[in-house]
Amino acid sequence: MNLYLMTDLEAVAGVIDSLAWCYPTGRYFDLARELLTLETNAAIEGFFAAGAKRIVVCDGHGWGGINPKLLHGGVELIAGSFGYVSSPYGLDESFDAVAWVGQHAMAGAPYAHLAHTGSFAVQELDFNGSPIGELGQFAYCAAELGVRSIFLSGDKAGCDEAAALVPGIETVAVKEAISGFRGLDLTGEEAEKAFTAARHLSPQTARERIREKAELALSRAREDKAMGRLTLPPGPYTLTTTVRPSAEDSTRKVYVRSHRESFIGAMNCEIRWV
């Protein structure tokens, strides 16, 4: 089986906040990248143990989250700026399954650590009237291509989001926020600092659980062809993004992306401000 592994930095055990851990200017950025890469390696080991033939890792953190020097030697890496790359970033029908490591919950989710959708400037993203996060966007792109979603590690809210969306997906919660604050009225700058209090597994324990569940996920997927198969609703497809006010602009703004026949088309079309 060929597997595409999407990674992000915020929902890794030991990564505490955005400003100090997730930006190149942060004092713990290199440590955060190391922690993510080791969690990614744990998942890779589990997938290979379950019989994966090919694994492509996508570094999905905007500033870069994977340390190539530490990455497992048996995989390929997609990295760099995605500013001029269409979603879903190299995923195509040649893959049997997708998985996530370090995936956080959507903006506005309660009891979520570093929750956001794309950036902390986004208050909410709706898909045909229902909230959706980064996980859901990529999972629906995969579904349109006939690719199943089988595994996710991240914070507990992110795992709960995955379990509610994808039938039978295996998850590993490596940390859990201790506040139910949703921050719907915050500015983008405030939101980036608001969702930091959480209870973490030790990085070693997190990696052990990720390896175990990744192996289980792919083993189950090999036997059960319905496992992780998300059904894409019929079109048309409309994605509505509400942008938080900022220090420079106190208004909330909304933009829409839509396509009559394709979710991937909606993800990549030009935005329309409303």
Side-chain angles (χ1 to χ4, degrees):
M1 293 183 71
N2 296 331
L3 190 134
Y4 186 109
L5 180 55
M6 174 63 75
T7 67
D8 207 349
L9 193 55
E10 284 86 1
V12 170
V15 172
I16 296 170
D17 64 36
S18 179
L19 297 179
W21 290 79
C22 299
Y23 284 92
T25 52
R27 64 183 298 188
Y28 300 116
F29 183 64
D30 288 338
L31 176 56
R33 294 176 72 223
E34 177 181 344
L35 292 172
L36 168 60
T37 307
L38 294 178
E39 284 195 4
T40 301
N41 287 348
I44 291 166
E45 290 168 7
F47 292 135
F48 276 137
K53 178 181 178 182
R54 177 190 181 212
I55 299 176
V56 176
V57 176
C58 180
D59 186 343
H61 185 63
W63 298 103
I66 293 291
N67 182 335
K69 184 177 180 180
L70 299 177
L71 185 63
H72 192 291
V75 303
E76 302 163 52
L77 174 65
I78 295 174
S81 172
F82 295 155
Y84 298 99
V85 180
S86 297
S87 181
Y89 315 125
L91 177 70
D92 58 30
E93 294 91 341
S94 68
F95 291 92
D96 299 288
V98 296
W100 291 259
V101 168
Q103 183 58 57
H104 53 82
M106 70 177 77
Y111 291 98
H113 190 241
L114 302 182
H116 64 282
T117 302
S119 79
F120 288 95
V122 173
Q123 176 181 304
E124 187 172 70
L125 171 62
D126 283 353
F127 167 44
N128 286 3
S130 297
I132 191 174
E134 295 173 20
L135 156 70
Q137 292 173 83
F138 201 75
Y140 277 126
C141 286
E144 186 168 303
L145 296 168
V147 182
R148 292 183 286 161
S149 301
I150 65 168
F151 172 83
L152 179 141
S153 68
D155 74 316
K156 184 178 184 301
C159 291
D160 292 344
E161 185 178 318
L165 180 68
V166 183
I169 191 171
E170 291 285 349
T171 64
V172 176
V174 303
K175 58 185 172 183
E176 180 179 2
I178 60 175
S179 170
F181 180 57
R182 299 177 63 199
L184 298 179
D185 295 325
L186 299 179
T187 65
E189 294 87 352
E190 291 169 338
E192 192 162 37
K193 302 173 184 177
F195 313 112
T196 61
R199 181 171 52 250
H200 299 242
L201 295 179
S202 73
Q204 181 61 38
T205 299
R207 293 194 289 267
E208 290 170 357
R209 295 186 184 179
I210 288 170
R211 189 201 181 283
E212 177 184 358
K213 279 295 190 76
E215 182 175 357
L216 175 61
L218 191 55
S219 297
R220 286 184 54 216
R222 291 169 66 92
E223 298 296 325
D224 180 2
K225 301 306 181 184
M227 183 258 191
R229 192 169 298 283
L230 177 63
T231 300
L232 185 66
Y237 303 102
T238 301
L239 295 162
T240 304
T241 302
T242 302
V243 181
R244 297 177 185 274
S246 69
E248 291 77 25
D249 187 345
S250 62
T251 62
R252 272 184 181 76
K253 297 182 178 179
V254 177
Y255 64 83
V256 173
R257 293 167 289 163
S258 60
H259 196 282
R260 292 188 58 82
E261 300 174 347
S262 169
F263 182 86
I264 294 174
M267 287 286 294
N268 293 307
C269 75
E270 292 187 9
I271 67 172
R272 176 172 58 87
W273 292 97
V274 297

